[in-house]
Amino acid sequence: MSSTLESRVWDALKTVRFQRMSRDIVAFGFVRSVELEGSLVAVTLEIATRKEDAVAQLKRDVEAVVVAVEGVGGVAVEVGVKAPKHPAQGAQKAVSQDRELIPEVRHVIAVASGKGGVGKSTVASNLAVSLAAEGYRVGLMDADVYGPSVPILFGIAARPKLQGEKAQPFQKYGVKVMSLGFLLSGDTPVIWRGPMVMKALEQLLGDVEWGALDYLILDLPPGTGDAQLTLSQRVPMAGAVVVSTPQDVALVDARKGFHMFRKVRVPILGIVENMSGFVCPKCGEATDIFKKGGAGRTAEDLGARLLGEIPLDPSIVRGGDSGEPIVVQQPEGAVAEAFRNIARAVVREVDAQAQAEPQLTIS
Ligand code: ADP
């Protein structure tokens, strides 16, 4: 009973915006917690602004929508206010917190999924190559410590060279690439405990000569474990792209991913629906093998954007196996076009997130 009440309260919070911001307070990660005790609800918000009036208005708006929720007997709203960082820093605010690890990286983007096998690495790779093709300086770090697949997707089977203290990333299809897969031998399964995962990820960030990048794409392991938490604590992230197939079961896991990122206060840039429908190459008929459209509904439910849909296409598997992402192998095809559109949507979302904070300080 209380869980449905809680979800109704979250839904109500999604109708509230702070000033004229483009999205609601849940989507922007301003809601830190919702706690219930019987019919009493305590909502805690945190926001960076200097505008006391706007905070008072926000508090009133939240109280009004929550108290109107069926089953709510009373509400207490607490707003924690931080001083905003210098507005001009905008997009770069994140990296300034942790300069020593990746000092010249402007935006870190995590590509995540609730479960394995949904095409997260495929999306991360094609996103990285598409961004590079648009002229950005891009790195791809394979943080999937339990099953690094970027070496195969990029067709690289060599060991990275050291220059001084630092490992040189490989450069292919315009992208700087680094993976633990380059350092581990063959088929050895990786069974690591939390602290080792943390150490390995820190090394992949800090001991690699990433240089100046516009975007560093992190291919995270599936799920919501140590690696995700470590990375979101160690490097300030511009946001996360969540990959899901349209089936309910995958979407349940995607929702868990959403909630984890919200907890660690990483903005969700949006969701990519992968394996969304199948177009028969022989007859051209479209079949929705995994109930196309599920990710779109989940995105809407969670107040996030649907960044794009990628169909189930055998040439994606062939591209992956041959070390040529499909955007390289068939740049004129519909799938490559879909990836390019996703890359552009990601750029727009990162910019929107970066502007959100300065916007708060404009009078
Ligand atoms: P994850 O990183 O989520 O474990 P991968 O990106 O490794 O998933 O993809 C798992 C398998 O599914 C790979 O063989 C990949 O080529 C294939 N795959 C991914 N996306 C598609 C798609 N849209 N159509 C067909 N096969 C796909």
Side-chain angles (χ1 to χ4, degrees), residues 175-197:
V175 176
K176 286 184 177 171
V177 184
M178 183 49 79
S179 167
L180 268 190
F182 298 139
L183 307 169
L184 302 167
S185 54
D187 299 327
T188 327
V190 186
I191 305 166
W192 285 357
R193 294 155 65 88
M196 290 171 73
V197 170

Side-chain angles (χ1 to χ4, degrees), residues 14-77:
K14 284 183 212 153
T15 65
V16 179
R17 286 173 193 230
F18 183 67
Q19 299 198 301
R20 292 181 307 280
M21 288 178 74
S22 59
R23 286 193 278 152
D24 64 83
I25 54 172
V26 176
F28 271 116
F30 296 155
V31 182
R32 289 207 68 178
S33 67
V34 170
E35 282 160 45
L36 301 181
E37 207 166 300
S39 68
L40 302 180
V41 183
V43 180
T44 310
L45 306 164
E46 193 173 279
I47 197 158
T49 182
R50 291 199 178 86
K51 295 179 133 191
E52 286 171 21
D53 292 355
V55 169
Q57 182 62 46
L58 174 67
K59 201 169 169 209
R60 284 194 295 275
D61 290 348
V62 170
E63 278 163 0
V65 296
V66 174
V67 86
V69 170
E70 192 198 331
V72 170
V75 56
V77 179

Side-chain angles (χ1 to χ4, degrees), residues 113 115-123 144 149 153 219 222 274-276 310-314 316-318 320-321:
S113 66
K115 63 178 211 129
V118 299
K120 170 184 52 60
S121 299
T122 303
V123 170
D144 193 343
S149 49
L153 293 174
D219 180 4
N274 189 30
M275 309 193 191
S276 170
I310 305 294
L312 193 75
D313 186 331
I316 292 182
V317 183
R318 284 195 296 274
D321 289 351

Side-chain angles (χ1 to χ4, degrees), residues 23 239-243 258 267-272 299 304-308 346 349:
R23 286 193 278 152
V241 171
V242 176
V243 181
F258 266 66
I268 308 278
L269 300 174
I271 187 162
V272 172
R305 240 151 250 238
L306 180 66
L307 296 167
V346 166
E349 284 301 308

